[in-house]
């Protein structure tokens, strides 16, 4: 049997998704269900002076109306930050309480205050208008750069500052800067993004009064963690009385890592009103209340020698947390950001200093890449600026500063096990026809257009684990994964995994690796995930960790199956287990033609007695059955890397940017399914290009989200994107048996600086901030003309 | 969405009879239904006019093209007669929204709504259209009154829109990157009688730019308007484009349109 790892196995998911048979949370209906509609704050910051639900309670079809008062009375806990980050001075971070329903204060537009349950959605919505709330409106804190000087939003949180964090050594950096020939300075903003999963958030909750069990169907990237938080911190029910099921999930990009207010409220309320509850977010609610991403202001400095060697790096960043600190809210702008900010380079000294502040905007949390796109954007923009100021080629300056030996101890945290950055950039340069750029530029200029080329090289720390490290850095839980592999007596296999897919095709990729490990045809393998009642615990899908951590747990469980299979086969074949080899699904006794298939062995494991010809195959002391489980906690993060090159053509009259060519060469270690990996790269690139060219979440000065619909929030569309030119290099990860590194976030990490460097190159080095909208580019082109005219 | 009464009118007369101060006609529903869903509009009565046969269809006669009010954008985009006589009009229709919108949205609904960023109003001005209603004929230049405002009276129903066939014409839309409505759309048409340069998206209501037209009358080439500046003081300004940027786009899109004629 040929190995399936590395082959373009057709996606098992395609049939149901493409024929409209996916089963999402909103597809679930429970007999006798009520419909929930949330009353939300229309103000960014206000004191609630009165809530009157009496009229709403009497409205047609209303079953109940609940508020923060009820939540407080029932002692239901709120949402939490999952990572404890310390400030440079050693003090602990400051997080405000975030009750599921706001009782006294509201802190962003969309903050939920009350919930109406009714027999129909229309009735719930109509009654919600009768919930009478009086507010004392307060001045909203919206502007990130001013937030530390503004009114304090939360009691006892001075300057709206959650923490002032430092990673690195200021003194060493100072010494490096003192020795520098030149200091390159850069001020950038990393624009706020709204994840925009195609499937809006939703939950359907069913309380069984006989078993006193709550079942919550929800749109989650990590149902197990949701249950843990809802139980341990929310106090909704003990874990064994709470089942969380995430069926098919239509995208998340990080926004569905968090447990949200609505899931806690509906789970708690279903028991209280003894009725099933259905809630589905409207698109406007998604814009307003899904966690947003990015939103940094950064000042960076790079110390260089005249011949382009890097000596030191400073990164001073203000990160927006929004109104509350959520699960990955505090770690995203620190440990997921700071260490990667020195890029793929040998950087003798560096520090990252991040001030995370609260504002009256939606909470900001992990979004595809989480911290690493912000880091890569910072270093890759400043490296390009250094190349410009030193008159060097952008590829040359990068090559000059690459590490060439691995493992490579990166400046701030990471020990990078494997990689070959030189090979990646060389390949990208060839594939992009870098040398042909000047001819293409001439061609563009003959048509009155500008053309620019941009380069980025990145690495990312993903496969988030290992537990001892993440816990040392402040994580509230360990980040291992687990799996269970069960053989049926008749030879098919069910694999239970704690990882969950929200569009990544785990059912295919995981089946491929199990098929290879067990020698069982892929169609005989089922992957079960997303249900806390089915299978083992998991820490969730994010940080490109499902294959590198969850997938390896499957491999390890399979290896235990094979080990037991060897012992059983040895008994059946009257040989010593040491002489039994396992290959292509067969246990073979060395130097003989005696063998048993794994199916035969599995069957035998379930028939351990003696009857007629059948004799128990089980060695003494061996348990019947064939089922094994494993937990996997890797020795290190994994470190994908890559080199991206883009070309843009700009119409100076209209400011339109056409992304004309895009080459991405990535090193993801072993690739299990090239089709799926390419799909992940395409999706990531689209989102990264969206950040660079079109997407921007904008609030006005009162804290109203002005980009709260697709009429104003500009998603990238197919016609914004070129044909992608993808290539791969492979250096295997040494910290897991498959050598895999993860691929889900690479595109969104590499694309923003690549595209922006290309635009800035076309603009003769003139800097502009993301997103490079037509008007900004048009203005820059006008400046360009002016300076050219002056020069002439 | 609030509940409402649904009526299907069989002819213009019945449609008029059913209409009140609290009703709306339902053509493609591409504007009416989203605004009802978002709670921006509520109506007691919705009067469906799609079943009025007479209101749909395309006919060409010598100097003009008549398009029935409930004719869908797709039909205009694909019409052989229109492609032959006023190709710029079918390409305008082809550039509206997305396939779903084009398969439902209608020309009558679009001009009755008179969205400041809609495409069709510029075609009406550029192509000296006459709007035939169940009560009268209205010249396009007197039809578009202001933002979302037209000369239509309550219960007045557009039946057909009649476009004058020009010598040459072109519509150049600079789309809003998010909604794909026009940030600025310029429709240039050269008739025997003169030149029209109709602009949508730039101001609260579609208008004919007289200065650009004048320059083109003296010489119909992009050079004659190149470098011209239009006043931005009463232009729209939003997160997608400032008034100043729109003013610049008016000229660049007009140049493109002239070149494409
Ligand atoms: C996603 C999306 C994208 C769009 N993009 C564009 C775009 O790029 N460019 C563009 O120009 N438009 C765009 N539109 C609008 C689209 O062109 C619609 O067709 C138009 O808004 C209304 O036409 P309708 O037939 O759907 O009218 P309806 O929604 O049915 O009616 C709109 C209004 O017109 C009135 N009305 C309808 N027919 C008549 C009539 N015969 N006589 C009198 N009054 C009448 C109704 O009473 C109502 O008040 C878009 C719409 C959507 C939803």
């Amino acid at each position: 049997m040929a190995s399936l790892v590395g082959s373009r196995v057709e996606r098992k998911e395609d049939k149901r998704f493409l024929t409209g048979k996916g089963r999402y949370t909103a597809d679930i209906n429970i007999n006798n269900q009520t419909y929930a509609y949330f009353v939300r704050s229309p103000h960014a910051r206000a004191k609630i002076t009165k809530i009157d639900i009496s009229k709403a309670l009497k409205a047609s079809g209303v079953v109940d109306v609940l508020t923060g008062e009820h939540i407080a009375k029932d002692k239901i806990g709120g949402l939490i930050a999952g990572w404890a980050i310390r400030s440079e001075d050693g003090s602990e971070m400051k997080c405000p309480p975030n009750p599921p329903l706001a009782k006294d204060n509201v802190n962003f537009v969309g903050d939920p205050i009350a919930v109406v349950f009714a027999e129909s959605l229309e009735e719930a919505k109509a009654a919600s208008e009768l919930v009478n709330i009086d507010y004392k409106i307060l001045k909203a804190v919206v502007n990130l750069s001013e937030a530390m000087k503004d009114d304090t939003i939360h009691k006892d949180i001075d300057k709206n500052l959650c923490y002032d964090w430092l990673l690195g050594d200021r003194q060493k950096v100072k010494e490096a800067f003192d020795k520098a020939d030149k200091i390159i300075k850069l001020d950038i903003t990393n624009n706020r993004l709204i994840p925009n999963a195609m499937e809006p958030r939703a939950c359907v909750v069913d309380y069984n009064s006989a078993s006193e069990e709550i079942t919550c169907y929800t749109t989650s990237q990590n149902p197990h963690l949701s249950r843990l938080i809802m139980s341990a911190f929310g106090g909704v029910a003990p874990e064994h009385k709470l089942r969380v099921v995430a069926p098919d999930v239509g995208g998340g990009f990080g926004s569905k890592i968090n447990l949200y207010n609505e899931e806690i409220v509906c789970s708690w309320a279903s028991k209280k009103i003894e009725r099933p509850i259905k809630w589905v977010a409207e698109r406007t609610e998604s814009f307003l209340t899904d966690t947003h991403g990015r939103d940094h202001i950064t000042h960076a400095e790079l110390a260089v020698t005249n011949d382009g060697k890097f000596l030191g790096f400073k990164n001073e960043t203000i990160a927006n947390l929004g109104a509350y600190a959520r699960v990955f809210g505090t770690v995203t702008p620190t440990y997921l950001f700071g260490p990667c900010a020195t890029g793929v380079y040998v950087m003798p000294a560096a520090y990252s200093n991040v001030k995370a502040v609260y504002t009256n905007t939606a909470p900001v949390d992990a979004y595809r890449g989480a911290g690493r796109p912000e880091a890569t954007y910072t270093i890759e923009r400043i490296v390009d600026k250094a190349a410009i100021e030193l008159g060097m080629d952008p590829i040359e300056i990068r090559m000059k500063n690459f590490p060439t030996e691995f493992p490579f101890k990166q400046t701030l945290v990471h020990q990078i096990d494997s990689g070959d950055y030189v090979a990646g950039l060389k390949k990208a340069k060839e594939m992009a026809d870098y040398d042909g750029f000047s001819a293409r530029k001439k061609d563009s200029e003959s048509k009155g257009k500008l053309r620019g080329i941009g380069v980025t090289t990145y690495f990312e720390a993903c496969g988030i684990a290992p537990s001892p490290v993440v816990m040392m850095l402040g994580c509230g839980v360990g980040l291992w994964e687990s799996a269970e592999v069960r053989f049926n007596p008749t030879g098919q296999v069910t694999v239970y995994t704690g990882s969950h897919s929200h569009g990544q095709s785990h059912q295919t990729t995981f089946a491929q690796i199990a098929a290879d490990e067990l020698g069982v045809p892929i169609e005989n393998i089922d992957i079960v995930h997303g249900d806390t009642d089915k299978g083992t615990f998991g820490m969730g899908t994010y940080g490109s960790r499902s294959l590198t951590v969850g997938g390896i747990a499957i491999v390890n469980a399979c290896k235990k199956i094979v080990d037991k299979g060897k012992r059983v086969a040895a008994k059946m074949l009257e040989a010593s287990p040491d002489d039994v080899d396992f290959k292509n699904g067969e246990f073979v006794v060395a130097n003989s033609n005696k063998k048993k298939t794994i199916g035969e062995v599995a069957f035998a494991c379930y028939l351990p007695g003696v009857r007629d010809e059948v004799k128990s195959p089980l060695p003494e002391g061996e348990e019947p059955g064939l089922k094994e489980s494993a937990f996997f906690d890797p020795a290190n993060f994994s470190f994908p890397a890559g080199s991206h090159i883009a070309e843009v053509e700009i119409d100076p009259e209209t400011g339109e940017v056409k992304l004309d060519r895009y080459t991405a060469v990535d090193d993801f270690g072993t690739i299990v399914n090239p089709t799926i990996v390419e799909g992940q790269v395409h999706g990531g690139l689209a989102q990264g290009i969206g950040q660079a060219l079109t997407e921007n979440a904008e609030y006005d000065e009162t804290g109203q989200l002005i980009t709260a619909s697709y009429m104003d929030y500009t998603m990238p569309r197919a016609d914004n994107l070129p044909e992608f030119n993808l290539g791969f290099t492979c250096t295997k990860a040494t910290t897991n048996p498959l050598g895999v590194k993860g691929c889900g976030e690479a595109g969104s990490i590499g694309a923003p600086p690549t595209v922006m460097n290309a635009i800035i190159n076309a603009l003769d080095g003139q800097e502009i901030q993301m997103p490079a909208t037509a008007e900004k580019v048009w203005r820059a082109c006008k400046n360009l003309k002016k300076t050219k005219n002056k020069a002439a | 969405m609030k509940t409402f009464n649904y009526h299907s009118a069989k002819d213009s007369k019945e449609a008029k009879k059913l209409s009140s101060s609290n009703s709306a006609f339902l053509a493609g529903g591409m504007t009416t239904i989203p605004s009802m869903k978002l709670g921006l509009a509520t109506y007691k009565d919705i009067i469906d006019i799609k079943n009025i046969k007479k209101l749909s269809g395309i006919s060409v006669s010598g100097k003009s093209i008549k398009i029935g009010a409930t004719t869908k954008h797709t039909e205009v985009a694909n019409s052989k007669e229109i492609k032959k006589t006023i190709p710029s009009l079918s390409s305008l229709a082809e550039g509206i929204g997305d396939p779903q919108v084009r398969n439902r949205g209608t020309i009558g609904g679009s001009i009755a709504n008179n969205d400041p960023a809609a495409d069709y109003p510029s075609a009406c001005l550029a192509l000296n259209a006459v709007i035939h209603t169940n009560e009268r004929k209205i010249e396009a230049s007197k039809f578009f009154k202001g933002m979302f405002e037209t000369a239509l009276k309550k219960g007045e129903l557009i039946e057909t829109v009649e476009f004058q066939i020009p010598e040459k014409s072109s519509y150049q839309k600079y789309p809003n990157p998010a909604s794909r409505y026009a940030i600025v759309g310029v429709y240039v048409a050269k008739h025997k009688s003169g030149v029209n340069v109709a602009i949508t998206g730039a101001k609260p209501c579609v208008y004919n730019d007289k200065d650009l037209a004048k320059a083109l009358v003296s010489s119909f080439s992009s050079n004659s308007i190149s470098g011209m500046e239009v006043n931005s003081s009463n232009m729209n300004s939003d997160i997608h484009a400032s008034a100043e940027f729109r003013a610049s786009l008016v000229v660049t899109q007009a140049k493109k349109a002239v070149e494409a004629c």
Side-chain angles (χ1 to χ4, degrees), chain A residues 370-683:
Chain A
R372 288 146 294 163
E374 297 91 314
T376 305
Y377 188 65
T378 308
I379 186 73
E380 289 305 299
R381 283 287 318 282
I382 203 166
V383 163
D384 246 43
K385 196 170 179 195
I388 294 170
E389 292 194 16
L390 295 170
M392 284 176 80
D393 177 88
I395 289 188
E396 184 196 348
I397 197 170
R398 287 174 168 86
M399 287 284 190
K400 195 157 207 160
N401 291 283
F402 282 160
T404 46
E405 275 176 27
F406 290 86
F408 163 57
K409 175 79 180 71
Q410 182 259 358
T411 323
L412 288 172
V413 171
H414 297 297
Q415 171 89 9
I416 298 176
D417 61 333
S418 67
D420 186 344
Y421 304 150
V422 174
L425 186 51
K426 267 195 186 148
K427 183 165 180 174
K429 187 179 170 196
E430 259 164 51
M431 283 179 61
D433 183 24
Y434 191 79
D435 297 333
F437 169 71
S438 49
R440 290 189 293 275
K441 188 176 168 81
K442 272 212 188 88
D443 193 42
S444 295
E445 283 170 352
S446 72
K447 294 181 290 178
K449 304 274 171 70
L450 309 174
R451 181 175 278 268
I453 192 162
V455 180
T456 278
T457 49
Y458 75 89
F459 90 99
E460 55 161 326
C462 68
I464 327 187
S467 301
V469 176
V470 296
M471 291 185 67
M472 187 187 73
L473 299 180
C475 186
V477 290
L479 292 182
W480 38 263
E481 282 299 321
S482 71
E484 188 177 299
V485 176
R486 285 187 205 166
F487 260 91
N488 294 327
T490 52
Q492 311 86 15
V493 178
T494 309
V495 176
Y496 297 85
T497 165
S499 301
H500 189 37
S501 166
H502 48 289
Q504 297 88 344
S505 317
H506 291 178
Q507 282 169 326
T508 307
T509 303
F510 288 174
Q512 279 177 260
I513 58 181
D516 270 14
E517 292 296 328
L518 301 172
V520 170
I522 191 165
E523 50 286 2
N524 288 351
I525 299 174
D526 264 350
I527 305 294
V528 176
H529 54 191
D531 185 339
T532 57
D533 263 14
K534 287 186 190 161
T536 54
F537 206 95
M539 285 303 177
T541 289
Y542 43 79
S544 305
R545 66 190 299 279
S546 290
L547 178 59
T548 48
V549 191
I552 306 305
I554 295 173
V555 170
N556 289 351
C558 289
K559 288 195 190 305
K560 289 186 187 173
I561 293 262
V562 171
D563 284 346
K564 176 167 179 178
K566 274 186 188 166
R567 297 193 296 270
V568 175
K571 175 92 190 294
M572 292 168 82
L573 297 167
E574 295 172 337
S576 148
D578 294 340
D579 291 337
V580 176
D581 260 348
F582 180 70
K583 228 173 132 186
N584 295 334
E586 290 174 339
F587 295 95
V588 186
V589 180
N591 307 319
S592 81
N593 55 5
K594 291 202 289 182
K595 60 186 177 188
K596 290 278 176 200
T597 68
I598 194 164
E600 288 172 305
V601 171
F603 187 67
C605 286
Y606 285 94
L607 277 180
V610 178
R611 185 169 155 216
D612 302 334
E613 297 299 291
V614 180
K615 287 199 186 76
S616 172
L618 294 184
E620 208 170 314
E622 200 74 64
E623 290 174 6
L626 192 56
K627 173 186 116 168
E628 296 288 350
S629 65
F631 281 66
F632 180 64
D633 204 340
N636 200 349
F637 290 75
S638 63
F639 302 99
S643 299
H644 292 195
I645 299 179
E647 268 177 58
V648 296
E649 191 178 66
I650 293 174
D651 181 342
E653 290 214 338
T654 60
E656 279 163 301
V657 176
K658 179 180 167 213
L659 181 56
D660 193 40
R661 298 162 68 93
Y662 199 104
T663 303
V665 173
D666 296 297
D667 178 358
F668 299 140
T670 304
I671 288 177
V672 176
N673 186 322
T675 307
I676 291 171
V677 168
E678 285 161 8
Q680 288 291 313
V681 175
H682 283 199

Side-chain angles (χ1 to χ4, degrees), chain B residues 24-32 49 69 73 95-98 101 105-106 108-110 112-113 118-119 152 156-158 173 180-181:
Chain B
F25 295 128
L26 184 72
M30 291 293 95
T31 294
T32 307
I49 56 169
H73 305 331
I96 295 176
D98 49 46
V101 169
T106 69
S110 176
N113 193 48
D119 298 303
L152 289 174
E156 189 171 4
L157 187 70
I158 301 172
K173 168 171 169 174
R180 305 283 168 119
Y181 274 82

Side-chain angles (χ1 to χ4, degrees), chain B:
Chain B
M1 199 193 294
K2 296 263 157 69
T3 51
F4 55 84
N5 304 311
Y6 171 86
H7 314 270
S8 174
K10 57 180 185 307
D11 54 32
S12 300
K13 236 192 204 150
E14 193 188 356
K16 186 179 172 177
K17 215 168 81 200
L18 287 164
S19 73
S20 71
S21 61
N22 202 358
S23 72
F25 295 128
L26 184 72
M30 291 293 95
T31 294
T32 307
I33 292 174
S35 39
M36 289 166 77
K37 276 174 126 176
L38 286 169
L40 300 173
T42 50
Y43 301 105
K44 200 166 133 269
D45 297 288
I46 286 290
I47 305 149
D48 194 340
I49 56 169
K50 282 195 302 296
N51 299 318
I52 307 176
K53 289 247 159 52
K54 210 182 101 189
L55 291 192
S56 174
I58 295 163
S59 66
V60 181
S61 66
K63 290 185 194 143
S64 69
I65 292 183
K66 280 188 171 173
I67 303 177
T70 59
T71 309
K72 292 172 185 144
H73 305 331
T74 335
E75 297 171 70
V76 175
N78 295 331
S79 156
K80 282 206 183 86
E81 294 103 311
I82 300 181
K83 276 187 181 165
K84 219 163 71 194
T85 47
I86 321 182
S88 59
L89 190 59
S90 40
S91 72
L92 173 147
E94 201 178 358
I96 295 176
D98 49 46
Q100 288 85 344
V101 169
R102 292 195 290 275
N103 280 325
R104 291 209 73 95
T106 69
I107 185 166
S110 176
I111 49 185
N113 193 48
N114 192 19
D115 188 307
D119 298 303
Y120 268 128
S122 67
C124 293
L125 283 189
L127 302 172
N128 297 325
V130 177
I131 289 112
H132 299 254
T133 76
N134 55 345
E135 296 178 9
R136 56 187 166 143
K137 291 184 202 173
I138 313 170
E139 280 174 29
S141 58
K142 302 200 174 108
F143 182 84
F144 302 103
K145 292 283 197 194
M147 197 158 120
F148 294 107
E149 223 188 289
T150 66
L152 289 174
K153 290 181 283 191
K154 203 69 227 179
E156 189 171 4
L157 187 70
I158 301 172
E159 294 189 331
T160 48
V161 187
E162 184 176 4
F163 294 99
Q164 185 184 325
I165 299 172
E167 287 176 359
K168 44 189 177 179
S169 63
S170 168
Y171 177 64
Q172 295 293 326
K173 168 171 169 174
Y174 188 93
N176 178 314
S179 73
R180 305 283 168 119
Y181 274 82
I183 279 192
V184 167
V186 178
Y187 209 129
V188 172
K190 186 170 183 302
H191 299 273
K192 264 212 185 79
S193 54
V195 174
N196 287 330
V197 181
I199 319 264
T200 186
K203 292 187 181 176
C205 184
V206 65
Y207 68 100
N208 265 321
D209 192 306
K210 298 272 163 23
D211 297 332
L212 291 172
K214 211 161 114 193
L216 288 172
V217 166
S218 51
S219 158
F220 195 80
S221 89
S222 62
N223 278 340
S224 56
I225 53 173
S226 185
M228 273 179 77
E229 282 190 17
V230 297
N231 187 350
S232 67
S233 61
N234 44 8
M235 287 201 176
N236 300 332
S237 185
D238 55 36
I239 55 168
H240 301 289
S242 66
E244 191 192 347
F245 184 42
R246 278 190 163 87
S248 149
L249 288 174
V250 165
V251 180
T252 42
Q253 296 305 103
K255 279 192 329 199
K256 277 188 196 163
V258 172
E259 278 159 18
C261 269

Side-chain angles (χ1 to χ4, degrees), chain A residues 81-99:
Chain A
W83 291 65
I85 304 297
R86 276 178 194 281
S87 286
E88 184 178 359
D89 66 8
S91 62
E92 280 176 21
M93 67 175 186
K94 298 193 177 70
C95 293
N98 185 186

